[in-house]
Coordinates of all heavy atoms in Angstrom, one line a residue:
F1 N 50.9 62.1 -117.2 CA 52.3 62.0 -117.5 C 52.5 62.0 -119.1 O 53.7 62.1 -119.6 CB 53.0 60.7 -116.9 CG 53.2 61.0 -115.4 CD1 52.3 60.6 -114.5 CD2 54.4 61.6 -115.0 CE1 52.5 60.8 -113.2 CE2 54.7 61.9 -113.6 CZ 53.7 61.4 -112.6
G2 N 51.4 61.6 -119.8 CA 51.6 61.7 -121.2 C 51.6 63.1 -121.8 O 52.1 63.3 -123.0
S3 N 51.3 64.0 -121.0 CA 51.3 65.5 -121.4 C 52.6 66.1 -121.1 O 53.2 66.7 -121.9 CB 50.1 66.2 -120.7 OG 50.4 67.6 -120.8
R4 N 53.1 65.9 -119.8 CA 54.3 66.5 -119.3 C 54.7 65.7 -118.1 O 54.0 65.2 -117.4 CB 54.1 67.9 -118.8 CG 53.5 69.0 -119.8 CD 54.6 69.4 -120.6 NE 54.2 70.6 -121.4 CZ 53.4 70.7 -122.5 NH1 52.7 69.7 -122.7 NH2 53.2 71.8 -123.1
P5 N 56.1 65.6 -117.9 CA 56.5 65.0 -116.6 C 56.3 66.0 -115.5 O 56.2 67.2 -115.7 CB 58.0 64.9 -116.9 CG 58.4 65.8 -117.9 CD 57.2 66.0 -118.8
L6 N 56.2 65.3 -114.3 CA 56.0 66.2 -113.1 C 57.3 66.8 -112.8 O 58.3 66.2 -112.7 CB 55.5 65.2 -112.0 CG 55.1 65.9 -110.6 CD1 53.8 66.7 -110.9 CD2 54.9 64.8 -109.6
P7 N 57.2 68.2 -112.7 CA 58.5 68.8 -112.4 C 59.1 68.4 -111.1 O 58.4 68.0 -110.1 CB 58.0 70.4 -112.3 CG 56.7 70.4 -113.0 CD 56.1 69.0 -112.8
A8 N 60.4 68.6 -110.9 CA 61.2 68.1 -109.7 C 60.7 68.9 -108.5 O 60.8 68.3 -107.4 CB 62.6 68.3 -109.9
N9 N 60.2 70.1 -108.6 CA 59.8 71.0 -107.5 C 58.2 70.8 -107.4 O 57.6 71.8 -106.7 CB 60.2 72.4 -107.6 CG 59.7 73.1 -109.0 OD1 59.6 72.4 -109.9 ND2 59.5 74.3 -108.8
A10 N 57.6 69.8 -107.7 CA 56.2 69.6 -107.6 C 56.0 68.1 -107.2 O 56.8 67.2 -107.4 CB 55.5 69.8 -109.0
E11 N 54.8 68.0 -106.4 CA 54.5 66.7 -105.9 C 53.0 66.6 -106.0 O 52.3 67.5 -105.9 CB 54.9 66.5 -104.5 CG 54.2 67.4 -103.6 CD 54.5 67.2 -102.1 OE1 54.9 65.9 -101.8 OE2 54.4 68.1 -101.2
E12 N 52.5 65.4 -106.3 CA 51.1 65.2 -106.2 C 50.7 64.9 -104.9 O 51.4 64.1 -104.1 CB 50.6 63.9 -107.1 CG 50.5 64.2 -108.6 CD 49.9 62.9 -109.3 OE1 50.7 62.0 -109.5 OE2 48.8 63.1 -109.7
V13 N 49.6 65.4 -104.3 CA 49.1 65.2 -103.0 C 47.5 64.9 -103.2 O 46.9 65.3 -104.0 CB 49.2 66.4 -102.0 CG1 50.7 66.7 -101.9 CG2 48.5 67.7 -102.6
T14 N 47.1 64.2 -102.2 CA 45.6 63.8 -102.1 C 44.9 65.0 -101.5 O 45.5 65.9 -100.9 CB 45.4 62.5 -101.3 OG1 45.8 62.9 -100.0 CG2 46.2 61.3 -101.8
W15 N 43.6 65.0 -101.7 CA 42.8 66.0 -101.2 C 42.8 66.0 -99.6 O 43.0 67.0 -99.0 CB 41.3 65.7 -101.6 CG 40.4 66.9 -101.1 CD1 39.5 66.7 -100.1 CD2 40.3 68.1 -101.5 NE1 38.8 67.9 -99.9 CE2 39.4 68.8 -100.8 CE3 41.0 68.9 -102.6 CZ2 39.0 70.2 -100.9 CZ3 40.8 70.3 -102.7 CH2 39.7 70.8 -102.0
E16 N 42.9 64.8 -99.0 CA 43.1 64.7 -97.6 C 44.5 65.2 -97.1 O 44.6 65.9 -96.1 CB 43.0 63.2 -97.1 CG 41.6 62.7 -97.4 CD 41.2 62.3 -98.8 OE1 42.3 62.1 -99.6 OE2 40.0 62.2 -99.1
Q17 N 45.5 64.9 -97.8 CA 46.9 65.5 -97.5 C 46.9 67.0 -97.5 O 47.4 67.7 -96.7 CB 47.9 64.9 -98.5 CG 49.2 65.6 -98.3 CD 50.2 65.0 -97.3 OE1 50.2 63.8 -97.2 NE2 50.7 65.8 -96.5
A18 N 46.3 67.6 -98.7 CA 46.2 69.0 -98.9 C 45.4 69.6 -97.7 O 45.8 70.8 -97.2 CB 45.5 69.4 -100.1
Q19 N 44.3 69.1 -97.3 CA 43.5 69.7 -96.3 C 44.3 69.6 -94.9 O 44.3 70.6 -94.2 CB 42.3 68.8 -96.1 CG 41.2 69.1 -97.2 CD 40.6 70.5 -97.0 OE1 40.0 70.8 -96.1 NE2 40.8 71.2 -98.0
A20 N 45.0 68.6 -94.6 CA 45.8 68.5 -93.4 C 47.0 69.5 -93.5 O 47.2 70.2 -92.5 CB 46.5 67.0 -93.3
D21 N 47.6 69.6 -94.6 CA 48.7 70.6 -94.7 C 48.1 72.1 -94.6 O 48.8 72.9 -93.9 CB 49.4 70.4 -96.0 CG 50.3 69.3 -96.1 OD1 50.5 68.6 -94.9 OD2 50.7 68.9 -97.2
L22 N 47.0 72.3 -95.1 CA 46.3 73.7 -95.0 C 46.0 73.9 -93.4 O 46.4 75.1 -93.0 CB 45.1 73.8 -95.8 CG 45.2 74.0 -97.2 CD1 43.9 73.6 -98.0 CD2 45.5 75.5 -97.5
R23 N 45.5 73.0 -92.7 CA 45.3 73.1 -91.3 C 46.4 73.5 -90.6 O 46.4 74.1 -89.5 CB 44.5 72.0 -90.7 CG 43.0 71.8 -91.2 CD 42.3 70.8 -90.3 NE 42.8 69.4 -90.6 CZ 42.4 68.7 -91.5 NH1 41.5 69.1 -92.5 NH2 42.9 67.4 -91.7
Q24 N 47.5 72.9 -91.0 CA 48.9 73.1 -90.3 C 49.6 74.4 -90.8 O 50.7 74.5 -90.3 CB 49.6 71.8 -90.3 CG 49.1 70.7 -89.5 CD 49.8 69.4 -89.7 OE1 50.9 69.4 -90.2 NE2 49.2 68.4 -89.2
G25 N 49.0 75.0 -91.7 CA 49.7 76.4 -92.2 C 50.9 76.0 -93.1 O 51.7 76.9 -93.1
R26 N 50.8 75.0 -93.7 CA 52.1 74.5 -94.7 C 52.1 75.2 -96.0 O 53.1 75.1 -96.6 CB 52.1 73.1 -94.7 CG 52.4 72.4 -93.4 CD 52.8 71.0 -93.6 NE 53.1 70.4 -92.3 CZ 52.8 69.2 -91.9 NH1 52.2 68.5 -92.7 NH2 53.1 68.7 -90.8
Y27 N 51.1 76.0 -96.4 CA 51.0 76.6 -97.7 C 51.1 78.0 -97.5 O 50.5 78.7 -96.7 CB 49.8 76.2 -98.5 CG 49.8 74.7 -98.8 CD1 48.9 73.9 -98.2 CD2 50.8 74.2 -99.6 CE1 48.8 72.5 -98.6 CE2 50.8 72.8 -100.0 CZ 49.8 72.0 -99.5 OH 49.8 70.7 -99.8
D28 N 51.9 78.7 -98.4 CA 51.9 80.2 -98.5 C 50.9 80.8 -99.4 O 50.6 82.0 -99.3 CB 53.4 80.6 -99.0 CG 54.4 80.0 -98.0 OD1 54.3 80.4 -96.8 OD2 55.3 79.3 -98.5
L29 N 50.4 79.9 -100.4 CA 49.6 80.5 -101.4 C 48.8 79.2 -101.9 O 49.3 78.1 -102.1 CB 50.4 81.0 -102.5 CG 49.8 81.5 -103.7 CD1 48.9 82.9 -103.3 CD2 50.7 82.0 -104.8
V30 N 47.5 79.6 -102.5 CA 46.7 78.6 -103.1 C 46.5 79.3 -104.5 O 46.1 80.4 -104.7 CB 45.4 78.3 -102.6 CG1 44.5 77.5 -103.4 CG2 45.6 77.6 -101.2
L31 N 47.0 78.4 -105.6 CA 46.8 79.0 -107.0 C 45.6 78.3 -107.6 O 45.6 77.1 -107.7 CB 48.2 78.6 -107.7 CG 48.2 79.0 -109.2 CD1 48.0 80.5 -109.4 CD2 49.5 78.6 -109.8
C32 N 44.6 79.1 -108.0 CA 43.4 78.6 -108.6 C 43.5 78.9 -110.1 O 43.8 79.9 -110.5 CB 42.2 79.4 -108.0 SG 42.0 79.2 -106.3
L33 N 43.2 77.8 -110.9 CA 43.2 77.9 -112.3 C 41.8 77.9 -113.0 O 41.7 78.0 -114.2 CB 44.0 76.8 -112.9 CG 45.5 76.7 -112.4 CD1 46.2 75.5 -112.9 CD2 46.2 78.0 -112.6
A34 N 40.8 77.7 -112.2 CA 39.4 77.6 -112.6 C 38.5 78.3 -111.6 O 38.9 78.4 -110.5 CB 39.0 76.2 -112.9
L35 N 37.4 78.7 -112.1 CA 36.4 79.4 -111.1 C 35.9 78.5 -110.1 O 35.6 78.8 -108.9 CB 35.2 79.9 -111.9 CG 35.5 81.2 -112.8 CD1 34.2 81.4 -113.7 CD2 35.7 82.4 -111.8
F36 N 35.9 77.2 -110.4 CA 35.4 76.2 -109.4 C 36.4 76.1 -108.3 O 36.1 75.9 -107.0 CB 35.3 74.8 -110.1 CG 34.1 74.9 -111.0 CD1 34.5 74.7 -112.4 CD2 32.8 75.1 -110.7 CE1 33.4 74.6 -113.3 CE2 31.9 75.1 -111.6 CZ 32.1 74.7 -112.9
D37 N 37.8 76.3 -108.6 CA 38.8 76.3 -107.6 C 38.6 77.4 -106.6 O 38.7 77.4 -105.4 CB 40.2 76.5 -108.2 CG 40.5 75.3 -109.0 OD1 39.8 74.3 -109.0 OD2 41.5 75.6 -109.9
L38 N 38.3 78.6 -107.2 CA 38.2 79.9 -106.4 C 36.9 79.7 -105.5 O 36.9 80.0 -104.4 CB 37.9 81.0 -107.4 CG 38.1 82.5 -107.0 CD1 39.5 82.5 -106.4 CD2 37.9 83.4 -108.0
H39 N 35.9 79.1 -106.0 CA 34.7 78.8 -105.2 C 35.1 77.8 -104.0 O 34.7 78.1 -102.9 CB 33.6 78.1 -106.0 CG 32.4 78.0 -105.2 ND1 32.1 76.7 -104.7 CD2 31.3 78.7 -104.9 CE1 30.7 76.8 -104.1 NE2 30.4 78.0 -104.2
T40 N 35.9 76.9 -104.3 CA 36.3 75.9 -103.3 C 37.1 76.6 -102.2 O 36.9 76.2 -100.9 CB 37.2 74.7 -103.9 OG1 36.5 74.1 -104.9 CG2 37.8 73.8 -102.8
V41 N 38.0 77.5 -102.4 CA 38.8 78.2 -101.4 C 38.4 79.4 -100.8 O 39.1 80.1 -100.1 CB 40.3 78.3 -102.0 CG1 40.8 77.1 -102.6 CG2 40.3 79.5 -103.1
Q42 N 37.1 79.8 -101.2 CA 36.7 81.2 -100.7 C 36.8 81.4 -99.3 O 36.9 82.6 -98.9 CB 35.3 81.4 -101.4 CG 34.1 80.6 -100.7 CD 32.9 80.8 -101.4 OE1 32.7 81.8 -102.2 NE2 31.9 80.0 -101.1
N43 N 36.6 80.4 -98.5 CA 36.7 80.6 -97.0 C 37.9 80.1 -96.4 O 38.0 80.0 -95.1 CB 35.4 79.9 -96.3 CG 34.2 80.4 -96.8 OD1 34.0 81.7 -96.9 ND2 33.2 79.7 -97.1
W44 N 39.0 79.7 -97.2 CA 40.1 79.3 -96.6 C 41.0 80.3 -96.1 O 41.0 81.6 -96.7 CB 41.0 78.5 -97.6 CG 40.3 77.2 -98.0 CD1 39.2 76.7 -97.7 CD2 40.9 76.2 -98.9 NE1 38.9 75.5 -98.2 CE2 39.9 75.1 -99.0 CE3 42.1 76.2 -99.7 CZ2 40.2 74.0 -99.9 CZ3 42.3 75.0 -100.4 CH2 41.4 74.0 -100.5

């Protein structure tokens, strides 16, 4: 929050929450900003 406020159309989620939402098909897209992210999602 010292860098920027969290936008109104954004929310922080835990890893467990994200995994549950992924299993339930709640995301339309995963946006990767680093190669490690791409490696994480390669089988999603």
Side-chain angles (χ1 to χ4, degrees):
F1 287 94
S3 171
R4 302 277 193 291
L6 187 66
N9 57 324
E11 65 175 339
E12 281 190 283
V13 297
T14 65
W15 184 254
E16 294 75 22
Q17 169 89 45
Q19 288 290 301
D21 288 346
L22 279 163
R23 282 190 298 275
Q24 295 177 9
R26 293 192 177 142
Y27 294 114
D28 300 302
L29 178 70
V30 175
L31 179 58
C32 301
L33 303 178
L35 284 169
F36 297 113
D37 302 341
L38 204 54
H39 184 263
T40 298
V41 305
Q42 68 185 348
N43 296 316
W44 293 4

